[in-house]
Amino acid sequence: IQVDAFHIFKIFVANPQKPARVQTILFKNRERLLKLLAFLPGRSENIEADLTTVTRVLKALEGSPTARRSGANASTSMAVEAERG
């Protein structure tokens, strides 16, 4: 179940047009989310690539919804990677 939840979660992180509320929630909880992701069970090679990208995007998040435009390129590349997988 945790791996399936991760696949849904990564969509929220990868969305380059996150609603301001989602951006704020991710930013406020990013340290806790990063800790949880570090111990995600059931990892495979496919998940590792997505996990690396999600971690990178979470670390790059900025609190201001207008600042999210600068992180759009990283989010977009993750969405492209997700489509390949």
Side-chain angles (χ1 to χ4, degrees):
I1 292 176
Q2 289 178 333
V3 172
D4 291 335
F6 170 72
H7 288 299
I8 294 168
F9 173 71
K10 73 182 181 184
I11 294 169
F12 284 96
V13 176
N15 182 359
Q17 298 178 349
K18 294 174 199 59
R21 180 113 170 98
V22 171
Q23 174 78 15
T24 301
I25 291 168
L26 289 172
F27 177 76
K28 286 182 178 179
N29 293 292
R30 72 179 173 176
E31 293 303 319
R32 204 173 335 168
L33 291 166
L34 289 168
K35 286 179 186 176
L36 287 171
L37 292 173
F39 297 103
L40 184 69
R43 291 181 172 191
S44 67
E45 290 181 27
N46 295 335
I47 291 176
E48 286 297 328
D50 288 343
L51 191 57
T52 299
T53 305
V54 167
T55 301
R56 186 178 58 233
V57 172
L58 283 173
K59 287 180 179 179
L61 280 177
E62 297 181 15
S64 164
T66 55
R68 74 174 181 246
R69 291 183 197 135
S70 65
N73 290 339
S75 296
T76 302
S77 66
M78 185 184 154
V80 169
E81 288 177 20
E83 288 178 4
R84 288 184 206 154

